[in-house]
């Protein structure tokens, strides 16, 4: 990830005009201050390794110093005489926070690789406000190009990946802001003149997209964002924080109806003609973003897109990164595994779980 300026700014500093958990502060002169420490929700008690998973880190864009952490089951892939599906994962953080190196994201990817039996590629991207949108989206697309190049190479260090990865079974997954990136990557691929999803021509075939509580926005508030829906309001994630993420990440002067934030805004591309492969959308019932996620899924379903929806009614936004080793996270990974297996067989009809 890019090298960020590191400085100390007291929480009571009157020069601080924007503050995200003390991890990121913007000063009145425009200086961005990032803490060098991992946040409190990345406790050192999270395991760094898994007995059945190998992992390594690489730089996929030297010019931008963008990194990817790669995970593969120790006993799968080439050792078992078969290659494994690939899950490309983009982390969340409102486009302003997060890293593939953070302990909670690392732990989730370890477990995902182990229990889904897949190669997991957790790719970083440039963060706002130093790099406002669409920088993150461009980086996410750039990573897929990097992966496409690896798919036709089996030399040197690339063999660690290519010996295990089935590039004909690639899935793009994303948590929160990463889920938003997954949506826009699907739209780009489904409207381009390049080979379409699953046509067997490209060396890299994306079989599906997995949106885990995607971070969408809009000027008009939804019921779950409204003040009268207090269940979802927490000190960690509240309406003021959501607005701050958009204020810091969208292009200067843009509203929350910008096409990257609101896929159904006035200036957003129509999705009716976009070719989607199977899409899994996951929502959580106590999430401020719940209604936006449900609305997104319902609209795609009405368009006839191959869609599956799963709701965790009693869980908060991003529960799988807050508690990556919980029973509920295990259930989420099981559902992802089933979706991957089903999508590799045939395109599913729209359904709701």
């Amino acid at each position: 990830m890019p090298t960020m300026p590191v400085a100390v700014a007291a929480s009571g500093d009157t020069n601080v005009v924007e503050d995200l958990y003390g991890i990121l502060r913007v000063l009145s002169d425009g200086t961005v201050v990032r803490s060098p420490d991992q946040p409190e929700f990345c406790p050192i008690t999270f395991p760094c390794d898994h007995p059945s998973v190998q992992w390594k880190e690489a730089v996929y864009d030297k010019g931008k110093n963008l990194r990817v952490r790669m995970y593969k089951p120790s006993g799968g892939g080439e050792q078992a005489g078969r290659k494994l599906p690939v899950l490309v994962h983009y982390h969340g953080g409102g486009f302003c926070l997060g890293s593939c190196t953070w302990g909670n994201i690392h732990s989730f990817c370890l477990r995902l690789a182990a229990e889904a039996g897949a190669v997991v590629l957790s790719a970083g991207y440039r963060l706002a406000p130093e790099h406002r949108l669409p920088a993150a989206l461009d980086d996410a697309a750039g990573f897929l190009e990097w992966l496409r190049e690896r798919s036709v190479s089996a030399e040197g260090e690339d063999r660690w990946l290519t010996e295990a990865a089935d590039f004909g079974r690639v899935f793009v997954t994303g948590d929160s802001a990463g889920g938003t990136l997954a949506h826009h990557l699907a739209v780009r691929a489904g409207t381009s003149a390049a080979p379409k999803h699953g046509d067997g021509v490209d060396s890299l075939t994306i079989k599906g997209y997995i949106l885990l509580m995607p971070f969408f926005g809009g000027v008009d508030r939804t019921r779950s964002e409204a003040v009268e829906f207090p269940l979802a309001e927490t000190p960690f994630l509240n309406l003021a924080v959501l607005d701050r993420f958009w204020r810091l990440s969208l292009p200067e002067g843009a509203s929350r109806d910008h096409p990257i934030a609101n896929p159904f805004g006035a200036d957003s591309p129509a999705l009716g003609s976009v070719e989607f492969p199977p899409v899994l959308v996951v929502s959580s019932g106590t999430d401020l973003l719940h209604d936006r996620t449900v609305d997104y899924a319902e609209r795609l379903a009405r368009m006839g897109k191959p869609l599956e929806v799963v709701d965790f009614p009693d869980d908060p936004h991003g529960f799988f990164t807050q508690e990556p080793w919980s029973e509920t996270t295990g259930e989420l990974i099981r559902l992802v595994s089933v979706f991957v297996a089903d999508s590799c067989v045939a395109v599913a009809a729209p359904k709701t779980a």
Side-chain angles (χ1 to χ4, degrees), residues 121-140:
L121 305 177
S122 179
Y125 50 86
R126 287 172 295 170
L127 300 176
E130 299 94 327
H131 306 282
R132 289 179 176 268
L133 293 164
L137 180 55
D138 292 339
D139 293 342

Side-chain angles (χ1 to χ4, degrees), residues 316-341:
H317 183 83
F319 64 84
F320 46 90
T321 56
Q322 298 175 42
E323 297 182 349
W325 301 98
S326 71
E327 182 178 345
T328 309
T329 298
E331 175 62 13
L332 171 65
I333 292 175
R334 186 192 70 79
L335 292 168
V336 168
S337 302
V338 171
F339 172 78
V340 167

Side-chain angles (χ1 to χ4, degrees), residues 83-285:
K83 293 195 173 185
L84 302 173
V86 178
L87 302 181
V88 175
H89 183 72
Y90 298 107
H91 65 76
F95 300 109
C96 298
L97 305 176
S99 168
C100 63
T101 66
W102 278 13
N104 59 339
I105 296 167
H106 178 71
S107 285
F108 174 68
C109 290
L110 280 172
R111 188 175 184 184
L112 183 61
E115 297 183 13
V119 174
V120 176
L121 305 177
S122 179
Y125 50 86
R126 287 172 295 170
L127 300 176
E130 299 94 327
H131 306 282
R132 289 179 176 268
L133 293 164
L137 180 55
D138 292 339
D139 293 342
F143 178 74
L144 293 181
E145 288 304 312
W146 178 89
L147 187 60
R148 182 170 283 107
E149 293 173 1
R150 304 284 88 69
S151 71
V152 294
S153 172
E155 299 179 357
E157 294 185 359
D158 290 343
R159 293 189 63 185
W160 190 95
L161 173 62
T162 59
E163 288 178 344
D166 183 348
F167 296 106
R169 292 188 292 158
V170 176
F171 292 79
V172 176
T173 79
D175 156 31
S176 193
T180 312
L181 295 177
H183 162 77
H184 288 289
L185 290 172
V187 173
R188 282 190 180 188
T191 56
S192 72
K196 298 297 182 182
H197 297 107
D199 67 358
V201 175
D202 199 353
S203 61
L204 189 76
T205 303
I206 298 178
K207 288 288 190 178
Y209 293 83
I210 302 168
L211 281 61
L212 305 174
M213 300 154 208
F215 179 39
F216 293 130
V219 171
D220 295 333
R221 302 296 191 191
T222 65
R223 182 188 66 91
S224 61
E225 292 171 344
V227 176
E228 61 267 23
F229 191 71
L231 185 61
E233 284 273 355
T234 68
F236 176 71
L237 187 66
N238 53 52
L239 201 57
V241 170
L242 294 182
D243 288 351
R244 189 171 297 119
F245 278 138
W246 288 125
R247 193 162 58 244
L248 291 173
S249 64
L250 287 171
E252 292 280 4
S255 77
R256 296 189 303 273
D257 280 335
H258 185 279
I260 292 182
N262 186 352
F264 307 110
D267 297 323
S268 300
L271 301 180
S273 62
V274 177
E275 296 182 22
F276 282 85
V279 178
L280 173 63
V281 178
V282 177
S283 62
S284 57

